[in-house]
Amino acid sequence: MPSLRYVFTVILGCALATWLSRVVPFIILKKFRLPNLLLEFLNFVPIVIMSSLWFESLFTQRQGQLPLINLGNFLASIPTIAAAIISKSLLVTVLIGVLSLAILNIFFGIN
Amino acid sequence: MNNQLSARTALRETLPTVFGYVGIGIAFGIIGKSSGLKDIEILSMSLITYAGSAQFIMISLLLNRAPLASVILTVFLINSRMILMSMNTSRFFKRESMVKNILIGTFLTDESFALSMNKINYTNDSLSFEWLNTSNLIAYFTWSAASLAGGFFGNFIRDSQKLGLGFALVAMFIGLLYLQMINDHALSIKIQLTVILFVFCLIYLGLVLIPSSILIICVTILGCAFGVAIEHALA
């Protein structure tokens, strides 16, 4: 691991980058109204971001070739979806998800 | 969830979701420790950078001795989805002061954003500073405490992946996606499922061509544009 000084430079630089992307839209949009088309676009942001972060985790990237399936995450997603539908609870869904992958790892050697 | 927007309601509605970040925060601390980070570095990353899943990527880039500019750019690109979330959230706070807007923006996360988007289905499309700020701060302090606890456990645990902790983040996205789908009355289930299927194809094909650091932001823009297009085509 690099020196304490370098790690802290990285921490501060990344903090500035993420802070700006969180705060600048709030400052700019206080003065302006968003057009309707953009509002319609923003309606889709939650489901699109959530599903893309999930789907990305189901594969292992090999740039230039079709991605490999991440079998552990793929299989663990099935009981996790069932838990979400049955319980409608985030906590139960996360616990079942973690438990599913742990069982796949420990008993079947899949990860 | 109900239509109340007080700090107390936020506490009650946010607490069940913290188990999602406790798992991931602990996993972050454990992985940080096993990668050679000190407790102070783990805690500072969570308190100062506060970038969720991007912190795992910071660790791997630090291990690769990546140059400063490339670490910052990667973290910015991964977190650039926050621009869309902030734009989406800011419309509920136009009447609040600039300081309150900056505070909400500073502590906004994927999870508090998703919780807000569920909440507006119960509150006739409105949010309050008290509600979201409370929810944000609970997330912030939970994340930092969990990271530090993870750093401590990391002294003893060797194989966190085996315990399934890495899946906590994914499971949370699955749960949030499902809750969003059943609670969002602005979009029909048919349109939502069509867009999600399209996103799946984009991710699969995108993984061939696009570096994973910018894949999420590219897919988000294309996926939302596709959603608007089919909504207009069906109307």
Side-chain angles (χ1 to χ4, degrees), chain B residues 156-200:
Chain B
F156 312 104
I157 301 174
R158 303 251 148 193
D159 204 352
S160 62
Q161 186 57 34
K162 206 162 197 160
L163 300 172
L165 284 174
F167 195 69
L169 198 60
V170 180
M172 192 158 58
F173 291 132
I174 293 175
L176 288 170
L177 174 63
Y178 179 73
L179 293 176
Q180 179 61 30
M181 287 175 68
I182 58 171
N183 289 317
D184 186 343
H185 304 299
L187 301 170
S188 73
I189 291 285
K190 200 170 116 190
I191 288 188
Q192 294 189 40
L193 286 175
T194 313
V195 170
I196 290 168
L197 188 67
F198 181 74
V199 167
F200 185 86

Side-chain angles (χ1 to χ4, degrees), chain B residues 5 15 20 22 34 36 68 70 75 77 79 83 137 166 171 182 201 216 227 229:
Chain B
L5 282 164
L15 279 182
V22 167
S34 64
L68 180 65
S70 77
V75 168
L77 288 173
N79 265 17
I83 297 173
L137 291 180
I182 58 171
C201 301
I216 297 296

